[in-house]
Amino acid sequence: MGIDNIALWLLVIIAHAVFIWRLIHIYNLVNLGQGTLGLNRLPDRIKDVAIKGFGQKLVIREPSGWFHFFIFWGFWILTFGTTEGLIRGLFPGHFTFSFLGPIYWIMNTGMDIIGAIVMFALGMALYRRFVIKPKRLEGPFSHQIDAVVILGLIGILISAFYVMSVLVVRPGFMPVTSMLRALFASGEAYPTIDAAMEAGSTFYVAEWIHNIVVLGFLMYIPFSKHVHVVTALPNLFFRDETRVRGRIDNLDLENEEAESFGVVSVRDFTAKELLDVFACTECGRCQENCPAYNTGKPLSPKKVVLDIKDHILEVGPAMLKDKEAEPAHALYGDVIEHDVLWSCTSCRACEEVCPVEIQPMTKLIKIRQARVLMEGDFPEEAQVALRNIETQSNPWNLPMQERAKWAEGLNVPTMAEKSDVEYLWFVGCAGAFDQRYQKVSRAMVKILEEAGVSYAILGEEEMCTGDSAKRIGNELLAQMMMQQNVETFNNYGVKKVLTTCPHCFNSIKNEFPTFGGNYEVVHHTDLIQQLISDGKLKPKSGGNGKTTYHDSCYLGRYNDVFDGPRKSVEAVIGAQSLVEMPRHGSKSFCCGAGGGRMWMEETIGTSVSGNRAQEALDTGATTVATACPFCMTMMDDASKNDEEA
């Protein structure tokens, strides 16, 4: 064994020792969180990694994601050649995988072709980052340098592979190598590695460069922003399979041993939530789609995740040494500031677009829970709304006894009068008290009567679902509202629930089951569309000009209700008169009312609702349709404000 073999052995040992040490450190930091990383439902977890990880399903939803797709797969395919080169350097002789026969031919062919594709993808990645400069890729200068280093190392690695392939004949269909050989080596190549080594040192130097870059890459990755190369696949594998989209997990408020509720420090996050922050690819898709960020608020979901990551790296070592140690800096205040925390509209756009399924919104809501429950620290306007819910079971502070006043003269049955019905129609606070949305409630009565639908309402027995309280962070009030509603529903033996509010729809469908309330929940837009399809409703054509439909976050992105509302609108105005806004469907832009923002003033940046209303007006539509009372209020107010829309 020569000195070069021994030197490479030392480098391999050092590189792997550094790599493993760093991963163990990250693993220990992740385990500062609550619980453990789950290993149940292995088939589903493996499927997730295969489709979303190796298949890059979530990455290629964006056209630019294809560049990442090829870099990702190029990394894996080129690993074959990397392994061959390392083995050759570690042991005397000139090792190759030629004994694999046809497999060797296939792998050489794959490396030759994919290498060129990866080089093109690297060039495009650099072009996007430094020429096009999309805002979502902005970051600290150190991160920009980090990106250049990583892309540069990959480029050097592939270049070294091509140099070695040009010098020595390798079996396989290798068009790129053949072209480079014709350009730089007059089409000639050495038949063996021995012959190339005897003729000069070029092959030897290229192989050493290749091996050093590989080992440098191995050591650098876990310390860089590209640590997601190691953590992204585990993050997909360990994702919470029981998590229900649209549900904020309940706090155990009866736990007498709990010292706090919500998230006060990084210890209060789950281990999976801490793994999240190390899996961030910094692609910025969350930021690009965040309504708060896009209207000048201090909230960037990407920055939230990265700030928490930096915070863990800063305070984590001391916490690992002493489990009782208090962090040198506070999570809220020092890391997540007040205006960042309360700018979130809970639209879920950040979580919808993340290619590795990180949950920035959920983390913010958990911090809100701690501020509200432990400190009573939240915006004054929100305090008023929650106080109204607590005293009158509605944010408007109108008497509970007037909850069915909107239905006077319409002969609407209540469950107390007639419980043997197909649907309990949960009217909701807005449908009962908001003057404009009362018109929707009265129109819905006519539709149900015309179609012969069997229904009843709760009237004075109906209470707020607790949606706003839940998202603001008042878990105690939210649970109280949900439990009381579920008790009322179950007392009447309710099986099906009809709602006219997406927030009520989401709460009853996704959060009531945690309190024993399991029902078939239907939004009125889907029911109307079904009644039309069944011929029970025959809408008259009407409306002049174009109409655009605004997707409510809680109906669309939360619960995949996209087609029913559109088909119902088209049944009235005709498909040709319905025009879409650029951001629609799962990429719809929030109206700004979710997350309790309906009850708070917007004092920073520009108006979220104004941004969306302007987009609607730009379609040339004369009518904006929406299926949510909050969206209706926000869009209506914004469209009347000349400065915003």
Side-chain angles (χ1 to χ4, degrees):
M1 183 175 288
I3 188 67
D4 51 349
N5 302 121
I6 295 172
L8 187 59
W9 269 107
L10 289 174
L11 290 176
V12 167
I13 292 170
I14 292 170
H16 281 82
V18 170
F19 178 78
I20 293 170
W21 173 84
R22 181 63 172 180
L23 288 193
I24 291 173
H25 181 62
I26 291 173
Y27 175 82
N28 289 333
L29 291 176
V30 165
N31 278 287
L32 284 171
Q34 301 294 311
T36 57
L37 299 174
L39 285 174
N40 59 331
R41 301 185 181 181
L42 276 177
D44 289 335
R45 294 182 184 280
I46 293 170
K47 180 181 176 182
D48 262 0
V49 172
I51 295 175
K52 298 175 182 177
F54 288 100
Q56 299 277 280
K57 176 184 175 182
L58 303 180
V59 173
I60 60 177
R61 289 184 295 186
E62 297 285 340
S64 60
W66 283 101
F67 299 131
H68 188 279
F69 175 90
F70 288 116
I71 292 173
F72 174 86
W73 271 106
F75 175 84
W76 286 102
I77 292 173
L78 291 167
T79 297
F80 184 85
T82 298
T83 304
E84 184 182 52
L86 282 172
I87 294 174
R88 186 160 52 241
L90 290 171
F91 300 98
H94 300 301
F95 174 84
T96 71
F97 282 125
S98 57
F99 63 88
L100 295 176
I103 295 176
Y104 192 49
W105 190 96
I106 292 170
M107 292 308 299
N108 284 330
T109 299
M111 288 190 294
D112 182 80
I113 295 172
I114 199 69
I117 295 174
V118 171
M119 290 294 274
F120 174 76
L122 292 175
M124 290 303 299
L126 288 169
Y127 178 77
R128 274 177 51 76
R129 182 173 289 273
F130 296 107
V131 179
I132 298 177
K133 296 181 179 179
K135 199 168 181 63
R136 68 184 174 107
L137 293 181
E138 289 180 352
F141 180 71
S142 61
H143 286 203
Q144 302 298 330
I145 294 298
D146 193 48
V148 173
V149 170
I150 293 296
L151 296 177
L153 288 175
I154 297 172
I156 293 171
L157 193 68
I158 296 172
S159 298
F161 162 77
Y162 278 125
V163 169
M164 291 186 287
S165 296
V166 164
L167 289 173
V168 178
V169 174
R170 300 168 71 100
F173 172 65
M174 305 182 71
V176 179
T177 295
S178 297
M179 180 188 69
L180 293 173
R181 188 178 290 147
L183 288 172
F184 299 105
S186 302
E188 298 295 328
Y190 297 101
T192 64
I193 295 175
D194 287 328
M197 299 282 268
E198 290 175 5
S201 61
T202 306
F203 187 93
Y204 180 82
V205 171
E207 187 165 68
W208 261 102
I209 290 174
H210 181 275
N211 288 339
I212 289 173
V213 168
V214 167
L215 297 175
F217 190 87
L218 187 66
M219 289 190 289
Y220 183 67
I221 278 293
F223 291 90
S224 75
K225 80 181 192 71
H226 284 77
V227 68
H228 73 266
V229 169
V230 181
T231 54
L233 293 179
N235 198 57
L236 290 170
F237 179 83
F238 288 115
R239 79 184 185 92
D240 185 359
E241 289 288 329
T242 63
R243 179 170 63 96
V244 175
R245 182 175 50 172
R247 175 186 296 170
I248 301 298
D249 291 337
N250 297 325
L251 295 179
D252 183 3
L253 300 175
E254 297 181 357
N255 182 4
E256 296 180 356
E257 297 181 0
E259 296 181 0
S260 63
F261 295 103
V263 168
V264 177
S265 77
V266 291
R267 288 193 191 95
D268 300 318
F269 284 121
T270 66
K272 172 58 177 64
E273 287 170 332
L274 296 186
L275 178 59
D276 263 4
V277 302
F278 286 101
C280 179
T281 66
E282 299 191 32
C283 66
R285 294 185 188 186
C286 55
Q287 175 179 290
E288 185 177 57
N289 289 274
C290 175
Y293 179 84
N294 277 279
T295 54
K297 314 297 187 290
L299 167 61
S300 160
K302 181 176 83 168
K303 191 172 185 301
V304 165
V305 171
L306 295 180
D307 285 350
I308 294 174
K309 173 185 169 184
D310 290 341
H311 179 60
I312 296 169
L313 290 171
E314 177 192 10
V315 305
M319 296 171 73
L320 288 173
K321 290 179 181 178
D322 179 2
K323 296 294 183 182
E324 304 300 321
E326 288 297 321
H329 296 97
L331 179 62
Y332 174 78
D334 293 332
V335 181
I336 306 298
E337 297 177 352
H338 175 89
D339 289 331
V340 170
L341 183 65
W342 295 103
S343 291
C344 179
T345 66
S346 75
C347 71
R348 255 199 91 255
C350 58
E351 298 184 359
E352 175 72 18
V353 299
C354 180
V356 289
E357 299 196 329
I358 295 171
Q359 302 172 52
M361 180 204 78
T362 304
K363 291 174 177 57
L364 290 175
I365 289 178
K366 289 190 173 186
I367 297 172
R368 284 186 180 185
Q369 290 172 338
R371 299 312 303 165
V372 175
L373 296 174
M374 304 302 298
E375 304 293 338
D377 174 26
F378 57 111
E380 187 175 345
E381 311 101 292
Q383 294 180 32
V384 173
L386 296 190
R387 194 157 50 243
N388 294 341
I389 293 173
E390 187 173 3
T391 57
Q392 295 292 351
S393 188
N394 70 84
W396 283 272
N397 198 33
L398 294 172
M400 293 178 62
Q401 295 77 13
E402 296 182 8
R403 199 164 189 113
K405 190 175 181 180
W406 65 270
E408 288 180 354
L410 296 177
N411 296 318
V412 175
T414 64
M415 292 293 286
E417 298 166 340
K418 180 184 176 184
S419 61
D420 185 19
V421 293
E422 183 178 6
Y423 290 102
L424 161 62
W425 174 16
F426 194 91
V427 179
C429 299
F433 295 112
D434 182 86
Q435 290 186 358
R436 181 167 180 184
Y437 218 66
Q438 285 176 345
K439 297 177 183 178
V440 174
S441 298
R442 287 191 284 270
M444 194 64 196
V445 171
K446 295 178 182 178
I447 290 172
L448 296 174
E449 296 292 343
E450 175 69 23
V453 176
S454 172
Y455 75 96
I457 66 173
L458 287 173
E460 295 178 12
E461 293 184 90
E462 184 180 283
M463 306 186 77
C464 177
T465 60
D467 164 78
S468 288
K470 187 88 169 174
R471 271 76 195 163
I472 289 171
N474 193 329
E475 180 76 5
L476 179 63
L477 178 59
Q479 289 193 22
M480 182 174 70
M481 293 291 105
M482 292 180 188
Q483 288 170 337
Q484 291 179 0
N485 272 309
V486 167
E487 183 178 348
T488 302
F489 286 19
N490 291 347
N491 284 341
Y492 284 117
V494 170
K495 297 293 187 293
K496 293 183 180 181
V497 181
L498 170 67
T499 73
T500 43
C501 170
H503 294 261
C504 298
F505 175 80
N506 181 72
S507 291
I508 298 171
K509 177 185 175 185
N510 296 318
E511 295 182 328
F512 278 29
T514 63
F515 296 101
N518 297 285
Y519 320 105
E520 180 184 335
V521 189
V522 181
H523 191 261
H524 75 289
T525 53
D526 272 344
L527 178 62
I528 290 171
Q529 190 272 323
Q530 187 61 52
L531 293 173
I532 293 172
S533 296
D534 292 344
K536 295 180 179 179
L537 281 181
K538 297 180 180 178
K540 298 178 181 178
S541 298
N544 297 314
K546 297 178 180 178
T547 295
T548 189
Y549 174 70
H550 163 75
D551 290 279
S552 158
C553 301
Y554 277 71
L555 190 60
R557 197 155 37 239
Y558 271 67
N559 290 288
D560 290 329
V561 178
F562 299 112
D563 295 336
R566 285 174 168 81
K567 289 180 180 178
S568 298
V569 172
E570 288 175 354
V572 177
I573 65 171
Q576 71 283 353
S577 296
L578 182 64
V579 293
E580 294 285 10
M581 287 180 262
R583 296 174 293 190
H584 64 274
S586 63
K587 285 200 167 184
S588 178
F589 195 73
C590 182
C591 75
R597 292 294 320 177
M598 175 74 178
W599 319 110
M600 304 180 211
E601 291 297 324
E602 199 170 0
T603 58
I604 303 175
T606 57
S607 165
V608 175
S609 59
N611 184 298
R612 184 57 166 171
Q614 185 62 58
E615 186 174 6
L617 293 173
D618 288 345
T619 65
T622 55
T623 302
V624 179
T626 184
C628 174
F630 289 4
C631 295
M632 177 182 285
T633 297
M634 301 297 281
M635 296 287 280
D636 187 47
D637 289 349
S639 65
K640 293 174 182 176
N641 189 330
D642 292 336
E643 294 181 0
E644 295 176 341

